[in-house]
Amino acid sequence: SIALEEVPYKPDFKLDFVGGGAGVGVGTSQTFGTTTGAVGGVDMLFSDILGNNKLFTSLALNGEIADFGGVVAYINSKKKINWGASLSHIPYRSVYGGFAGFEVLEFEGLGFIETAKYQYIINRLFEDKVGVFAQLPFSTTLRVEANASYSRYSNRIVQQDYYYDAFNRLVYQERTKLDAAPGFNLWTVGTAVVGDNSYFGITAPLQGYRFRAGVDQYMGEFDFTAPTLDFRVYKFFKPIGLAFRAYHYGRYGGNSDKIYPLYVGSPWFVRGYNSNKAIDLIVQNDKSFDQLIGSKMLISNFEVRIPFTGPERLSLIKSKFFLTDLNFFVDGGVSWYDFKQFNSNNDTGYLPAAPVFSAGVSLRINLFGAMVLEPYYAYPILKESKGSFGFNLMPGW
């Protein structure tokens, strides 16, 4: 006979999943969505054998070493109301600048050389955050969420100067750390309704819908209300899929206009406006970089998604290892501070709101299930426009 011994259940964590960029119900704040944020990378999910306790970690790098960020979250789903806590360090980066005139430099052995100077200011805002949250699922596709958090924000500003000779060769560069504004604290409470019945393809959803309707109240150094409306729909007609997204995020009331601006040209919003020559192109079209930033934004994206290489039943080209989606896209968006910026009698002190659009093609690559890479070629829809290459490190929306 076999003797059985009863022992208490211990919820030891084991690795369940390694992926790239997504969520498991835990996401990063859009409060300071600027040109570059830590939004891609490697996600890992650990859980016990019953799935009652989950530990989620995400590490991301989208820029320089200073742009490294991460989040760790614990989720308890033993009862109907799931609850948990999170800890994160998220960097947000924006860049502005351009041609700053001609300057004569002296080089040893070469004498004096007239150079064209390009100056760029790199602003980084670091968010260190601790929070608690709860989720009440109504079904497998619908839930309501609530959250509360404390965040500490700090700033870093770097000036980059580049000097080019008459043959457009870089002859000198200089990096200077500038004084930055002091840090500050924020407390947040919020709630949201979330729906998701989508089916994921190789690198992005192909069928179904996703939506999020929520609102957050911020208190502390800044006091404002921030609603989020995000709706996405996907249709798959083999061998192509169609995807549409409409997204609004804004800061309303209080001193929200004094906070770090949102940039509509972020590469995961409107692609093609995140390069030096795109900023110069904006000026050539009688627009200003300031018309691409604001405390509120409205984004719309449309994609034709083609599973390109991968499983034979899904993709155009059969491959067991090289998993890709080929995408043709049209992006559009607008940022603003005050709704009067849309009127002819704009007396706000801000420039008129100026929507921007782009079109292009991208190839999303599923890198062994660990992350999704997206090199793209985007063409800003402006006069005398030139396309530019860019890169995202995140799954398709």
Side-chain angles (χ1 to χ4, degrees), residues 33-39 62-63 93-95 245 263-275 297 299 301 303 329 331 358 362 364 374-376 378 388-395 397:
T34 52
T35 302
T36 303
V39 296
N62 203 346
R93 185 184 71 176
S94 67
V95 181
R245 175 174 72 169
Y263 179 48
V264 75
S266 297
W268 56 92
F269 291 144
V270 181
R271 286 159 282 194
Y273 290 86
N274 196 39
S275 66
M297 64 165 52
I299 306 294
N301 309 93
E303 287 189 356
F329 63 82
D331 295 339
S358 68
S362 75
R364 293 194 179 101
E374 186 196 16
Y376 63 82
S388 62
F389 288 97
F391 185 82
N392 274 329
L393 181 63
M394 58 192 298
W397 46 264

Side-chain angles (χ1 to χ4, degrees), residues 27 66 116 136 159 169 173 181 201 211 271 280 285 347 377 379:
L136 174 61
Q159 176 180 305
R169 296 177 300 190
Q173 60 179 313
F211 71 84
R271 286 159 282 194
D280 295 336
N285 280 261
D347 59 357
Y377 183 81
Y379 185 91

Side-chain angles (χ1 to χ4, degrees), residues 35-279:
T35 302
T36 303
V39 296
V42 179
D43 299 340
M44 292 180 287
L45 178 64
F46 302 84
S47 73
D48 58 18
I49 193 171
L50 297 180
N52 292 333
N53 300 274
K54 301 181 181 69
L55 185 66
F56 172 75
T57 65
S58 179
L59 303 177
L61 178 64
N62 203 346
E64 303 176 23
I65 296 300
D67 301 307
F68 177 83
V71 58
V72 57
Y74 167 75
I75 305 172
N76 185 303
S77 55
K78 186 175 181 179
K79 297 182 179 180
K80 185 171 184 179
I81 297 180
N82 304 332
W83 60 271
S86 64
L87 181 67
S88 65
H89 170 77
I90 303 296
Y92 298 95
R93 185 184 71 176
S94 67
V95 181
Y96 65 90
F99 179 66
F102 295 97
E103 191 168 321
V104 177
L105 300 181
E106 183 180 6
F107 294 91
E108 184 177 351
L110 297 176
F112 293 92
I113 298 177
E114 185 179 51
T115 63
K117 179 182 178 181
Y118 288 80
Q119 185 176 89
Y120 299 95
I121 305 298
I122 303 173
N123 289 277
R124 286 188 175 89
L125 181 68
F126 299 98
E127 176 195 71
D128 296 294
K129 181 177 181 179
V130 59
V132 294
F133 56 88
Q135 303 173 351
L136 174 61
F138 297 112
S139 68
T140 56
T141 61
L142 183 66
R143 68 177 184 269
V144 64
E145 299 179 353
N147 66 82
S149 65
Y150 162 77
S151 303
R152 174 66 184 175
Y153 294 91
S154 56
N155 298 276
R156 182 187 300 175
I157 303 177
V158 175
Q159 176 180 305
Q160 293 270 178
D161 296 322
Y162 300 93
Y163 298 85
Y164 297 86
D165 64 13
F167 300 98
N168 202 33
R169 296 177 300 190
L170 179 65
V171 294
Y172 182 68
Q173 60 179 313
E174 188 175 25
R175 182 184 180 98
T176 307
K177 185 176 180 181
L178 305 179
D179 292 335
F184 59 91
N185 304 315
L186 279 184
W187 289 264
T188 311
V189 292
T191 185
V193 177
V194 182
D196 187 350
N197 77 339
S198 61
Y199 296 90
F200 219 81
I202 294 174
T203 66
L206 281 178
Q207 185 71 30
Y209 65 82
R210 288 174 165 181
F211 71 84
R212 181 182 187 89
V215 61
D216 293 293
Q217 179 64 46
Y218 289 83
M219 299 161 287
E221 183 75 13
F222 297 93
D223 187 356
F224 61 91
T225 303
T228 299
L229 298 173
D230 190 348
F231 176 75
R232 313 172 187 190
V233 62
Y234 317 97
K235 296 291 184 181
F236 185 58
F237 309 95
K238 190 177 181 180
I240 69 171
L242 305 178
F244 172 79
R245 175 174 72 169
Y247 172 79
H248 169 64
Y249 176 80
R251 310 180 190 128
Y252 293 85
N255 55 352
S256 59
D257 291 356
K258 306 299 181 183
I259 210 166
Y260 216 74
L262 304 167
Y263 179 48
V264 75
S266 297
W268 56 92
F269 291 144
V270 181
R271 286 159 282 194
Y273 290 86
N274 196 39
S275 66
N276 299 338
K277 60 182 179 181
I279 295 175

